[in-house]
Amino acid sequence: MEKIIEKLNLKEFWKDLKKFRFTKANVRTIAVYSFLLLFAIFVFIPFYWMILTSLKTLEEIETALQPSLWVKFKDMAFYNYYSALQAAPYIRYMANTVLIAFISTVGTIVTTISAAFAFARLNFKGRDTLFLALIATMMIPGEMFVITNYLTVTGLGWASPFTQTFPEAIMALSFPFMTSVFYIFFLRQTFKTIPDELYLAAKVDGTSDFKYLRRIMVPIASPTIITIIILNAMGTWSAYIWPNLVTSKEEYRLVTNGLRNAYTQNQGIAYNEAMAAAMIVTFPLLIVFLLLKKYIMRGVSRAGTKG
Amino acid sequence: MLEKQSNVKAWLYLLPALALLSVFTFYPLFNAFLLAFLKDYVYGSATGFVFMDNFKNVIADPNFNQAVKNTSIIVFVSVPISVTVALMISVLLNSIKKFQGLLQTIFFLPYVTNAIAIGMAFAFIFNESYGLLNLMLSWVNIDPVDWLGSWETGMVSLLIYTVWGGLAFKIMVFLSGLQSIDKQYYDAARVDATPKFRVFTRITVPLLSPMIAYITVTSFIGSFKAYRTIVGLFGPTVLPAGTLPDESFITIVGLIYESLSKSDTPGMVSEAAAASILLFITTLAFTIVNMWVSKKRVHF
Amino acid sequence: MKRLFMLLLVSVFTISLAGCITIDDEEIDCELYPTHVDCLEDIDPTTSEAPGIVNVLDALPTDEIIITFWHVYGQEKAALLNDYIVEFEALYPNVTINAESQGGYDELRNKTILAITSNNTPTMLVGYPDHVAGYLNGNAVIPLDDFILDDTFGVDITDFIDSYIEENRQYQGGYMYSLPYSKSTEMVVINKDIFDANETALTAAGVALRTDAPYTWAELDILAGILVGNGANQCEYLINFDSAANFFINSVRQWDGGYTNSAGDILVDNANTLAMLEYVQDRFEDKTFAIPLAWDADYGSANFQEGDSCMTVGSTAGIKYNVPTGVDAFEIAVAPVPQYDLDNMSAVQQGPNVAIMEDTTDAERLAAWLFITYITNAENTAKWSMLTGYLPVRYSGYDSTIYQAFLTSPDADYKYESMTANAAFLQIGYNDYDPAFAGRVTSSGARLQAEISMKALFAGNATAQQAIDSILSQLGVN
C-alpha cells in the first residue's frame, strides 16, 4: 500500500497543489485532468460493478429494489469467492488457457512480424492486392469461418469425440489462432511510421533485411508488439465457442467455458458467485497487464538507431 | 533479376502467415462463397446449384430493412465519435505525467471486465427510475427518460454503449502508436514554442496517421458486423423490453446469426452465407473508398 | 502471378467441392440407408410388430465398447449421472461410458449439427424435440422401435407416461426417435401466509386455498378481488407467469385456439386465440395477471418472495428459486396450474429426451440402448427425479416405494420438492407437448414470437390483434 502511495507521488502532489496559481497553463492542466477523469469514471463503472457484485450477498442482490452502490466491509461476502472456486475446475482450466495463450501468442508474434515486415518494407508484385485481400477477410462474420474450420480440424482427426488426446486438443485449440490479419495490419501500420531513411541507410551499410528487422524495426515497434501480445492473450482468455466445439473432454477446456458453463445451467444465475468467478479469472490478466504496461508506455529512444 | 530476388524473399516472409491463413481463413471464405450458391444445403450435402435464390431469401426477410437501417446508423454514428474520443483521450493521456499509469490501467479495464457485469452496469446506468444517466439529467432539470424502452432512446443508449465498448482497444492502439513517434519532433516544436494545437494537427496527427487509418478501417469493418454488443444491452431478442419486432435492433449480422441458428434446416446455412456476402461486398466497397480517401489525405 | 492466383482459386473451389460438400439430388439408396426417413413406411404405434429397420443383436458382444454421451448437466447432476454410469459399467464390464457436458442446450445442439456434418457424432445425446427434428433433417438419429419391441432387450412402452411417448412419436412416420429422460412441467406456487390471512374472505367466496385441484381462471378473478391491492395482506399482482411463451402456448390450448402443429403450420390466426389474448390483456390491466417484465426481471421468483405477487407459475425443475428465505420467509403451497376450462385442461411438458445417433455400430447401439433403459428404469428414474427436480418418466417410477414415500411422507429437506411432485402428478393426464419442427420456421422461432407478443401485450405496446399480426408477419405467414 505504502509503495503505491509512494508511486503516486501524493506528497509531491500536495506540494504542487499548495503552489497552485491560476495561470493559463494550469487551467489547461485542470481541463485535461477533468476530461480524462470524466471518461475514466465512465469506463470504470462496469469493472467496479463486477467487484461490487462479487461481494454482495445473494439476498441483497435479489431483494434490493435498487442496487446499492457500496458494500460495507463487514457485510462483504468473501464467501462468494470460495463457492465460485468450487463451481468448476478453474486451476486446470487456467493451466490449459495459459498453455494455449502461450502457443498461439508465440505463433502470432512470429507470423505477424514477418508478414507485417513484408507488407511494410519489401516491394513485391501484387503486394497491395494481397494486402487488400487480407483486410477483406475481416469483413465476413467469424461464425462463417467456424463451420469450415470445425470440418478442417475434425478432418485432421484432432477433435474426435472418442479418441481425442490432449496434444490433439492443444493443436485444435491453438492452430487457427497462430496468425491474425487484424494484427498483421496493426503492425504493418506501426512499421510504416518508421522513416524509410533508416532502411535505406541500413541497406547502404549492407545490413541484411532480417538483421534490420530484428535490430531496428522490432525494438522500435515493441510497444505495438507488446500490445499485440496482451490482446492475443486476452483473446484466448475470453474464447469459449471454439474451445467448446473442438474439445471432447471437459478437462481440455478453457477458463471462459468454466465460467459460462457453471452459471448458465439454471434459471436465476447467482450473480454474486458468477462475478466472483469472473474476478478470479480476470486477476491473472490484470497482473500480466500491469507487468507489461510499462513496456507499452516507455517511449523508444531513437538515439541508438540513427543511421 | 534483383526484383525477382526481392519477390522471392517477400513471399518467404509471408509464408508462415499465408500458410495458416489459407487453411483457416481463405479456405473457409471460399467455402462461404460456394455455400451461397448451393441449393438446399444441409449437413454437408446439397441438391444442386442456384444463382440468386439464397440472396433473394435474405432480402425477403421481414426484418431486412430494419437490419440495414440499424447497421447503417451504428456504422456512421458510432465510429466517428469513438475514434475522435479515443484519439483525444490517448493524446492527453500521453501528454500528462502524474497518474498516467493509473489512468492507463483504468482505460484498459473494460478489456478484462466480464460481459455479464458490463450488461448489468449499463442496465443500471440506463435505468429509468434510479439510473445514473437520469440522475445526471436531473441535475440540469431534465425529466427522466426510459432509455431502453423504445427504439429511439434505445438507439442513443446503444450508441453510448458501443462507443464505450470500443474505447479500450482504440486507446491501447493509439498509445502504442504515440510511443513509436520520435521524440525529436516534439523537442523541435518545443524549441520553436509551437502552440499545442498546432503540434497536434501538424505533428501528432500526420505521424499517427497510419494508426488512425488502422483504427478507422478496422472500426468501420467491426461496426458493420455489430451484433454482440446489442445482445449485451437488449438480450437475445434485441428488442426494447415489451415492444413488437418493428422496434427491433436487429442488424445484418443478427440476420446471419438467425439463419445459422437454423443450420439444421436445408438452405439456411446458404442464406447465412448469402447475407455474409452482401455484407462483405458493402463493407469492401466502403473500405476501398475509405482507404482511397485517406491515402490522399494522410501519409498511409 | 495473376494466372497462378486464379489457378489457386479454382483449385481451392474444386477441393471444397470434393472435400466436404456433396452435391446429390438423386433418390436415397434405401439398401444403403435403411433408417433414412424417405425409406420408412408409416408405423402404426399400436402394433406390437418390430419394424425391422435397426438390427438388434441377440446379445451384447464381449469386446470393448466405448459410448460417448453428450449432455448439458453441471457438476451436481453430472456427478449423479456418474453414479449410474459406475453401476452400469459394473453390470457390463466391457462397456465404457464417457459422459461429457457440452455447456448449455444451444451449445450442445450447435456442436451436434457440426458433428453430424463431419461424421463426428457421439453415440448418444440428450436433446429437446426440436433438436431431434433438426437432426432428422440429416437422418442422424435412429428409430428406437426395434429395440422397444425386442424380445430380449425391449421395454414395456405403456409403462412410460403417455404424453411423453406422444411427444417422442411426433416425427415423420410416427417412429420413436428418442426416449423421455428429464421431464418437467409447470406448477403454481402460492404464498400460503397471505391466503391464510384472508382465509375467512376466501372461504366465503368459495375460493379457499386448495392444492389438490387447479383453480379456474374465473376463480382467479375472485381471488384477485380479495388479494390484489395495497393492504398488509395483499399483493401488487395476483399471479405471475414466469415464462411468457409457455403462458401464451398453454393458454391457447386451454382456450382451444390454435398455435402450431408438427408440420410447422402457424395457426394463431383464429377467433379463440384472439379472444384469449383479449381476455388476458384485460387481466393484465386489472393486475390479476403479470409476467416478470412487470419488474424488469427474467423470472418472477425474487418478486414472489418479496410478496409482489401472491402466486407464481414456474417450472417444476425451478421450485428451489421460489422457496422464500431470510427473515421475512413465508410458507408456500404448490398446486397444479390454473385452468380456463375444466373440460379442456392443459399443462405444458418440457425437458429433454435421449436419442441414439445413426453413425454407430450395432454393438454401440445396443450398449447405448441398454444404458438408456438402465437410467430410465423405475428405480433410477425415481431417484433421478427426487434429486434433480425432474419428474419420473414411467408410471412404475411413480409407483416405486421410494417415490411413494417421497410423495406422501418426504424427508424434511425435500418438503418442497415433494409438494411440487404431487402437483405435477395431478397434471399427468393432461400434459401437452409443444410441437417440434425444424424448417424455415422453427418451433423455437415460433415460441420466441409468442413470448415477444405476450410481453408487448403486457407492456401495452400491442393490442391482441396486433400481437397476432406480429407473429404472423415475423414467421412469414401473410
Side-chain angles (χ1 to χ4, degrees), chain C residues 276-457:
Chain C
M276 181 277 287
L277 287 174
E278 282 169 348
Y279 184 99
V280 166
Q281 190 176 27
D282 280 350
R283 298 308 178 277
F284 279 153
E285 277 163 15
D286 67 17
K287 301 205 160 193
T288 304
F289 294 172
I291 54 176
L293 182 64
W295 310 284
D296 277 329
D298 293 330
Y299 295 95
S301 6
N303 292 84
F304 172 69
Q305 293 188 34
E306 283 293 288
D308 293 338
S309 75
C310 289
M311 308 162 88
T312 185
V313 174
S315 165
T316 48
I319 178 68
K320 64 175 173 183
Y321 302 103
N322 287 315
V323 177
T325 49
V327 274
D328 306 324
F330 51 84
E331 198 47 62
I332 57 166
V334 181
V337 290
Q339 298 293 328
Y340 172 68
D341 177 0
L342 292 177
D343 295 327
N344 185 29
M345 302 208 283
S346 171
V348 297
Q349 82 187 29
Q350 348 188 67
N353 306 305
V354 55
I356 300 177
M357 306 305 287
E358 212 274 336
D359 190 11
T360 41
T361 65
D362 286 349
E364 287 165 351
R365 289 175 183 183
L366 181 56
W369 169 256
L370 288 172
F371 182 61
I372 293 175
T373 51
Y374 184 75
I375 54 178
T376 53
N377 74 24
E379 192 192 348
N380 287 338
T381 190
K383 268 201 279 182
W384 174 253
S385 311
M386 286 157 52
L387 295 169
T388 58
Y390 289 118
L391 301 168
V393 296
R394 290 192 184 207
Y395 294 109
S396 60
Y398 277 103
D399 292 340
S400 66
T401 337
I402 46 166
Y403 205 76
Q404 280 302 317
F406 169 68
L407 285 178
T408 50
S409 50
D411 199 272
D413 290 346
Y414 291 100
K415 189 170 99 182
Y416 299 112
E417 285 78 0
S418 171
M419 286 181 182
T420 308
N422 275 296
F425 182 63
L426 291 170
Q427 294 179 165
I428 242 176
Y430 54 87
N431 273 145
D432 275 314
Y433 64 90
D434 188 359
F437 46 92
R440 173 165 294 278
V441 173
T442 62
S443 43
S444 62
R447 209 184 144 74
L448 182 69
Q449 292 308 324
E451 177 189 332
I452 288 172
S453 288
M454 204 48 136
K455 285 180 171 170
L457 198 67

Side-chain angles (χ1 to χ4, degrees), chain A residues 33 123 138 189-190 296 302, chain B residues 6 98 179-180 210-211 225:
Chain A
Y33 274 96
N123 282 312
M138 294 195 284
Q189 298 301 93
T190 310
I296 301 179
R302 292 282 167 79
Chain B
S6 131
K98 288 199 173 64
Q179 299 311 309
S180 301
M211 287 302 146
K225 295 193 287 185

Side-chain angles (χ1 to χ4, degrees), chain C residues 71-138:
Chain C
H71 61 78
V72 292
Y73 302 118
Q75 284 200 328
E76 265 174 56
K77 286 177 191 149
L80 202 57
L81 181 63
N82 200 48
D83 291 345
Y84 292 139
I85 292 174
V86 170
E87 291 166 21
F88 181 80
E89 287 174 344
L91 288 174
Y92 302 92
N94 62 322
V95 180
T96 308
I97 295 180
N98 299 320
E100 299 288 345
S101 168
Q102 303 302 329
Y105 285 104
D106 285 344
E107 283 96 347
L108 170 69
R109 173 173 166 267
N110 291 339
K111 185 165 175 174
T112 305
I113 292 171
L114 285 174
I116 293 169
T117 312
S118 70
N119 296 322
N120 217 16
T121 50
T123 319
M124 55 186 285
L125 42 68
V126 298
Y128 287 128
D130 61 315
H131 299 185
V132 173
Y135 304 153
L136 276 172
N137 287 338

